[in-house]
Amino acid sequence: MVNGLPVRVKYCETCMLYRPPRCSHCSKCDNCVERFDHHCPWVGQCIGQRNYRYFFWFVASAAVLCFYVFSMCALYISLLMNKGHHSVVEAIKISPASVAVMAYCFICFWFVGGLTGFHSYLIANNKTTYENLKYKYSNQPNVFDLGCIHNCFEVLCTKRKPSRINLRAIVQEEHVASQPRFSRSSAPEDETPHRPRAKVEDDLEMGLDILKTVRRRSDELSDEEFGTGSNGATYHTTGCTPDSDNEIPVIRTMTESSSEARDLDISVGNAACPSSPEQK
């Protein structure tokens, strides 16, 4: 209830709180601002309840400064004309900087002067820029309007409320609980957490399976081409008679790959077998 009239309170999903009356969320500052007026890019912050009067006095003083500088430059040109009995063109030639400053202040006065007049209207009616642009009180009465004099006194002369943020407070460290570790063997497939290296491990396992299959197939082919003796040594019999003494044993070595032992048969080619009695 404000001045005996009900006011709807909204909930801010970003800040997770119920906004007070005339409070709005600023997308630039990402905060809820009490008596939100607008976000000013020239001062780099939001204009709200605690700094609105300072913003108004800043804009009003800038307008007065522009008017004052323009008047002093015009007075200086007038003094030059009266002192030396010069015309306007001759006075401008004597002091061209005064004319440039007058033009600059004239242009700036239209901006800051118009902004001062607009905010004077808002203060007199106890409105904000956000409410005026949204036409919030076009179809309903303004519950915050207390009259022109009381509105100006409330905005410009009342004691500033304390900040809701304690800038001197000590930041409390948030203790994040350690997450339990999951093993791929014990956890089900659907409940296994998505780890960044899960796909890499799956690819490695698939590559090992393919490697085992290829090696098994190569062993089967090698068994067909080679024979095994009684002493466990492998002999290559192509091009040589089995009864001859020219059978050359092949060195049998053991290598481990993926925790499995594999026999590597190294044979000597047909060039090692004597092809003629002269070579014997």
Side-chain angles (χ1 to χ4, degrees):
M1 299 292 291
V2 178
N3 296 330
L5 297 176
V7 178
R8 186 176 61 180
V9 178
K10 296 182 179 180
Y11 180 78
C12 180
E13 296 181 355
T14 304
C15 300
M16 294 184 292
L17 53 82
Y18 285 96
R19 302 174 186 169
R22 311 186 82 176
C23 180
S24 182
H25 187 86
C26 177
S27 59
K28 302 294 181 61
C29 299
D30 197 21
N31 284 317
C32 285
V33 182
E34 278 192 284
R35 201 183 183 278
F36 176 75
D37 190 85
H38 69 286
H39 182 88
C40 182
W42 303 107
V43 298
Q45 60 181 346
C46 283
I47 308 302
Q49 183 177 10
R50 302 184 70 250
N51 62 348
Y52 180 76
R53 67 180 67 179
Y54 305 109
F55 171 79
F56 175 76
W57 290 125
F58 167 71
V59 175
S61 61
V64 172
L65 178 63
C66 291
F67 180 78
Y68 173 78
V69 174
F70 181 87
S71 302
M72 291 298 103
C73 291
L75 180 61
Y76 181 70
I77 295 294
S78 178
L79 291 175
L80 290 177
M81 293 173 59
N82 295 332
K83 184 178 180 180
H85 302 285
H86 300 295
S87 63
V88 177
V89 178
E90 293 177 350
I92 291 174
K93 290 181 179 180
I94 296 174
S95 179
S98 299
V99 180
V101 173
M102 287 177 62
Y104 176 77
C105 292
F106 180 79
I107 295 173
C108 292
F109 180 79
W110 285 103
F111 291 98
V112 294
L115 194 61
T116 303
F118 174 70
H119 281 282
S120 299
Y121 161 77
L122 295 178
I123 292 173
N125 292 275
N126 206 338
K127 293 182 180 179
T128 62
T129 304
Y130 181 79
E131 294 171 350
N132 186 74
L133 295 177
K134 294 291 184 179
Y135 300 100
K136 188 173 182 179
Y137 302 119
S138 59
N139 298 326
Q140 58 182 348
N142 185 4
V143 297
F144 302 97
D145 189 4
L146 303 176
C148 181
I149 298 177
H150 290 85
N151 291 337
C152 294
F153 180 81
E154 179 185 357
V155 175
L156 302 176
C157 301
T158 54
K159 185 178 179 180
R160 190 175 66 164
K161 295 182 179 181
S163 176
R164 297 181 181 273
I165 302 175
N166 187 7
L167 299 177
R168 297 177 179 271
I170 301 175
V171 178
Q172 300 293 335
E173 297 182 358
E174 297 181 358
H175 298 281
V176 181
S178 59
Q179 299 180 356
R181 297 182 179 179
F182 294 91
S183 59
R184 295 180 56 86
S185 59
S186 60
E189 183 177 359
D190 297 338
E191 298 179 0
T192 303
H194 297 281
R195 296 179 299 165
R197 295 187 57 84
K199 187 177 183 303
V200 178
E201 295 177 359
D202 294 340
D203 294 341
L204 291 176
E205 292 178 0
M206 185 180 299
L208 291 176
D209 294 339
I210 296 174
L211 182 61
K212 292 177 182 178
T213 305
V214 173
R215 288 176 176 175
R216 190 181 300 109
R217 180 59 180 170
S218 62
D219 292 341
E220 293 176 357
L221 294 176
S222 61
D223 292 340
E224 295 177 359
E225 296 178 358
F226 293 88
T228 305
S230 61
N231 57 353
T234 304
Y235 301 92
H236 191 280
T237 58
T238 304
C240 300
T241 59
D243 298 335
S244 62
D245 299 333
N246 297 326
E247 294 179 347
I248 301 175
V250 180
I251 301 173
R252 185 185 184 95
T253 60
M254 303 291 290
T255 60
E256 288 194 7
S257 176
S258 303
S259 69
E260 288 185 1
R262 180 177 177 269
D263 296 340
L264 297 179
D265 297 331
I266 304 174
S267 62
V268 180
N270 295 331
C273 297
S275 58
S276 64
E278 291 78 3
Q279 293 179 354
K280 292 182 181 179

